[in-house]
Amino acid sequence: MEPTFRETLEPACVSTRLVAMTKDAVLGELARLLSAGSASLPVDVVRRVLTEREQLASTGVGSGVAIPHGRLRELSGVKVALALHPEGVYFDAIDGGKVHLFVAVLASDREPTMHLRILARASR
């Protein structure tokens, strides 16, 4: 059975106080959250995956929300990070506004359906 969104969110992957003031720095903070507690997920690799996806198109979906995501072959299953930025940061969102809520998703590229389902849940 496929895990629920809540089951994929570990306490170590949650932050209510992001402090980064640029898009690139936020991706770094999100990479650290996704890597938390997992020696098999180096921060630099996770950051690269998130950055490469972000270069295709912004994951800032508007209304103060962004859903940075990517796929990584070495990963088993899905990792989710949830982060709040109290002041907000410009993230090239489609509405041009600041982003306050980040839902970062990292999934195995061997499980594209699970990746898409988690993204769909996050966007709802």
Side-chain angles (χ1 to χ4, degrees):
M1 179 178 219
E2 188 174 298
T4 66
F5 185 81
R6 192 162 112 171
E7 290 171 337
T8 62
L9 186 61
E10 302 168 14
C13 296
V14 176
S15 173
T16 60
R17 302 284 311 158
L18 289 184
V19 296
M21 295 310 294
T22 66
K23 182 177 186 174
D24 188 55
V26 167
L27 291 174
E29 284 193 73
L30 294 172
R32 282 189 288 286
L33 287 173
L34 287 166
S35 297
S38 178
S40 63
L41 288 175
V43 174
D44 59 328
V45 172
V46 175
R47 185 178 187 153
R48 178 185 49 79
V49 168
L50 294 177
T51 300
E52 286 174 356
R53 168 56 188 85
E54 202 63 37
Q55 289 172 347
L56 297 174
S58 177
T59 57
V61 297
S63 299
V65 178
I67 309 173
H69 59 277
R71 295 183 185 168
L72 187 61
R73 176 166 293 283
E74 297 83 5
L75 183 63
S76 174
V78 175
K79 291 270 298 190
V80 175
L82 179 63
L84 297 174
H85 195 296
E87 293 81 32
V89 64
Y90 288 106
F91 206 77
D92 300 323
I94 60 171
D95 63 1
K98 288 184 174 183
V99 172
H100 295 271
L101 175 64
F102 294 88
V103 181
V105 179
L106 192 62
S108 170
D109 65 358
R110 295 170 288 171
E111 301 178 54
T113 302
M114 185 184 302
H115 182 211
L116 292 174
R117 286 187 179 148
I118 293 291
L119 288 176
R121 288 179 188 149
S123 67
R124 282 191 290 246

